[in-house]
Amino acid sequence: MRSPGSNRRASAAWRMRTALDFEAIKPMPGIFYDDPGQILFPDPDAPKNREQVETQKAFEAQALEATGSAHAYDWACAHWGTPGIASFFHAWRDEPGRYECDFDTRWTPPLFIWEKLGEMFPALDFSVSGYEPLLDFALRGTIKDGKLEYELMDQPGIWKAVDSETGKIFSGTLKEIYAVVPNELPIWGAAPVWDDARVARTTVNSRSPKGNA
């Protein structure tokens, strides 16, 4: 994440220039760097799986004792609000006193990252929004005086579906589409009605030239 404008002290704090690095905000415990991952074995008692199963169980026991989470996935959900890092980062605006960016997260917004940013930079105002078209929800919120407040939007996303045999196009909410076409109809081109929201868009305004970021 790049500096929100020309504030020198903010620049020193906002050192993430090409991505929003969750690790720099809430570092993941080092034990998870050796996480073997959670593998679901169809036959965990089979001799060929025994070594992997024992390795996984041993790691889970150590991780649970050290962090309260068995795997990196669980820890990220509990401390970042989303199971993985941010991706497809893009800065839309970078000018004195204002910074805008957006990025993708997996299925859910990084609520706990936003909360931590508020704690780290209470002199900055944030506007946050996002949507997940596959789960058909969106949110908008703000971070002011270090506190995150947000609301979930109850407007459904608008979708388009095409019948591959006839070429006929259907549009509407998922509920409306599935009421008139089979569930297996291919759906494409998600176009949420919240057209000013992007996945995890973050806007930063510097309220004070001194700041405390």
Side-chain angles (χ1 to χ4, degrees):
M1 206 175 211
R2 284 185 285 178
S3 163
S6 59
N7 186 312
R8 183 178 61 82
R9 293 182 64 188
S11 289
W14 293 70
R15 288 185 286 267
M16 300 161 284
R17 301 199 60 81
T18 59
L20 179 59
D21 186 357
F22 293 171
E23 288 267 15
I25 300 169
K26 277 195 168 186
M28 180 176 286
I31 189 173
F32 292 118
Y33 296 151
D34 298 322
D35 190 345
Q38 186 174 14
I39 304 172
L40 301 178
F41 295 95
D43 185 5
D45 296 323
K48 65 178 180 178
N49 296 328
R50 189 169 299 157
E51 183 177 349
Q52 283 183 285
V53 170
E54 290 177 354
T55 298
Q56 180 172 304
K57 286 183 177 180
F59 176 85
E60 289 173 348
Q62 293 174 359
L64 277 170
E65 182 177 357
T67 71
S69 298
H71 290 281
Y73 182 102
D74 306 318
W75 186 93
C77 289
H79 295 271
W80 293 347
T82 185
I85 62 174
S87 59
F88 301 103
F89 177 91
H90 181 73
W92 292 89
R93 181 179 297 179
D94 186 356
E95 60 189 35
R98 188 173 180 85
Y99 183 83
E100 290 186 43
C101 66
D102 64 32
F103 51 90
D104 287 1
T105 55
R106 293 169 61 186
W107 309 306
T108 54
L111 293 177
F112 305 136
I113 292 295
W114 285 338
E115 287 180 344
K116 184 62 177 180
L117 284 174
E119 295 175 8
M120 294 168 66
F121 307 111
L124 301 180
D125 285 348
F126 295 76
S127 173
V128 297
S129 61
Y131 67 83
E132 172 46 73
L134 292 179
L135 298 180
D136 220 21
F137 83 89
L139 65 80
R140 288 196 183 105
T142 59
I143 308 173
K144 292 185 178 181
D145 299 321
K147 296 181 180 180
L148 170 66
E149 295 185 0
Y150 67 92
E151 62 175 342
L152 296 177
M153 311 293 291
D154 58 4
Q155 301 98 320
I158 303 300
W159 294 73
K160 289 183 178 180
V162 58
D163 187 322
S164 58
E165 294 184 358
T166 66
K168 184 176 180 180
I169 296 176
F170 302 86
S171 64
T173 66
L174 289 179
K175 183 177 181 179
E176 291 170 341
I177 289 177
Y178 287 150
V180 296
V181 297
N183 285 356
E184 63 269 18
L185 192 69
I187 293 178
W188 57 273
V193 296
W194 334 285
D195 56 3
D196 62 335
R198 297 183 61 87
V199 176
R201 165 163 284 194
T202 301
T203 302
V204 183
N205 294 313
S206 177
R207 289 184 292 157
S208 168
K210 295 182 178 180
N212 60 2

